[in-house]
Amino acid sequence: MNIPFINKKIASQKEILLQHPLYEKVKTIADLHQFLENHVYAVWDFMSLLKALQNKLTCTTTPWFASQNPETRYLINEIVLAEESDLTLDGKRLSHFEMYVDAMKNCGAQTLELEAFLQTVVDTKNIFVAIKQSNLHPKIKAFLDFTFRIIEEGKTHKIAAAFTFGREDLIPNMFTEILKNFQQNFPEIDLSKLIYYFERHIELDADEHGPMAMQMIVELCQDDEQKWKDVEEISILALEKRIGLWDAIEEKIESKLELV
């Protein structure tokens, strides 16, 4: 097995995501807010996948010892640098999650539910309890639960599979065009930070992080047939959970419309 083989196996799930009807449902500012307020959980748990990989592939404890594979050490540290400390539109340093939340606030989306959920994570000291106790859509709960189950299992190649194939390049360029059209049609709403976030994310995924993540998979799996099979299985599951997330957001937008 190899990367082209995995890409072939997950092609149908990726196509469902890229052609998902959700994109056509985001027509008003209220719809956009609904999208952001639910998609933000995918931005947040992505950071946990990232840090789980850094913990596995580099030395993050003392005394320090060189990790086993210098190549994967470099790859993950490069990705962490940009994802955790990127330049914002106004020249500050923030993680991509913080940039996203800032962009949400800037365009009027609510963050209270997110903040309450994160506080529950802190208070319970148990991510699975926090997910279960939350008022999130069941499919968003399933999405988060899957992520943290993979992290808890602790198999580096599986975490890398969810990180690489379950997340990279899954928001099409047309979504950025949707945002730009929003900005033209609703000039009273400032979407500059949001557009910057998505353009930056797409740019990094295509030019740097995507190829780096693929190389990381190759380094981790080498010629181990079982690891490649695990990567295939986890990648398909991760994409199915992502489809569930998109379904959940679409349902929430439609349910709001029925109330109007």
Side-chain angles (χ1 to χ4, degrees):
M1 290 189 190
N2 52 26
I3 296 295
F5 176 86
I6 300 296
N7 280 329
K8 185 176 179 181
K9 286 290 185 178
I10 64 175
S12 60
Q13 285 84 7
K14 285 187 74 172
E15 188 63 22
I16 290 170
L17 279 166
L18 294 172
Q19 302 298 327
H20 199 284
L22 167 63
Y23 299 112
E24 295 177 2
K25 302 289 173 65
V26 183
K27 295 179 179 178
T28 68
I29 292 298
D31 298 338
L32 178 61
H33 287 169
Q34 193 68 240
F35 176 89
L36 299 174
E37 289 162 16
N38 291 281
H39 174 246
V40 68
Y41 295 95
V43 181
W44 176 71
D45 81 332
F46 176 82
M47 299 301 297
S48 292
L49 285 169
L50 176 66
K51 298 305 284 188
L53 285 171
Q54 188 180 35
N55 287 337
K56 293 285 184 183
L57 298 174
T58 73
C59 183
T60 57
T61 57
T62 57
W64 178 87
F65 293 97
S67 53
Q68 188 174 10
N69 188 322
E71 191 63 29
T72 54
R73 183 198 314 160
Y74 162 76
L75 291 169
I76 197 63
N77 279 335
E78 278 290 306
I79 297 173
V80 167
L81 178 63
E83 293 287 346
E84 201 169 34
S85 306
D86 205 4
L87 274 175
T88 66
L89 182 61
D90 44 9
K92 299 175 183 176
R93 290 285 178 186
L94 287 177
S95 69
H96 279 200
F97 170 72
E98 291 167 307
M99 287 167 62
Y100 194 96
V101 172
D102 186 40
M104 286 176 66
K105 292 176 178 177
N106 201 54
C107 73
Q110 292 297 316
T111 59
L112 291 176
E113 186 179 50
L114 170 69
E115 290 160 9
F117 171 75
L118 295 180
Q119 188 59 50
T120 305
V121 176
V122 172
D123 293 343
T124 61
K125 298 181 174 61
N126 187 314
I127 182 61
F128 301 107
V129 170
I131 293 168
K132 190 174 183 180
Q133 289 182 356
S134 74
N135 294 320
L136 296 171
H137 189 289
K139 289 181 180 177
I140 299 178
K141 288 186 178 185
F143 175 86
L144 289 170
D145 189 79
F146 172 79
T147 296
F148 287 97
R149 295 290 173 192
I150 295 297
I151 291 171
E152 184 181 54
E153 186 181 351
K155 299 289 180 64
T156 309
H157 65 291
K158 290 187 177 182
I159 300 170
F163 176 86
T164 301
F165 294 103
R167 301 304 178 90
E168 297 301 291
D169 68 20
L170 292 182
I171 294 184
N173 288 327
M174 72 173 178
F175 190 70
T176 312
E177 295 306 312
I178 290 172
L179 292 177
K180 289 178 179 177
N181 287 335
F182 262 99
Q183 189 65 90
Q184 288 181 346
N185 295 330
F186 304 96
E188 70 278 9
I189 304 294
D190 185 3
L191 297 177
S192 57
K193 289 184 176 180
L194 195 61
I195 292 169
Y196 174 83
Y197 167 86
F198 280 108
E199 287 185 334
R200 179 70 176 142
H201 203 68
I202 290 167
E203 175 191 4
L204 281 172
D205 283 352
D207 298 339
E208 300 175 35
H209 294 179
M212 283 181 174
M214 297 296 180
Q215 189 178 343
M216 181 170 58
I217 292 284
V218 172
E219 292 284 339
L220 290 170
C221 293
Q222 300 287 336
D223 297 322
D224 190 319
E225 198 69 20
Q226 184 57 54
K227 284 186 177 180
W228 281 108
K229 286 180 181 176
D230 290 342
V231 166
E232 177 190 347
E233 178 186 345
I234 294 301
S235 300
I236 290 171
L237 284 172
L239 289 170
E240 287 176 351
K241 296 299 180 186
R242 183 61 174 251
I243 292 167
L245 174 69
W246 261 206
D247 291 344
I249 300 173
E250 183 186 11
E251 286 174 30
K252 287 177 80 71
I253 289 174
E254 288 181 336
S255 67
K256 290 285 185 184
L257 289 175
E258 289 169 3
L259 296 173
V260 175

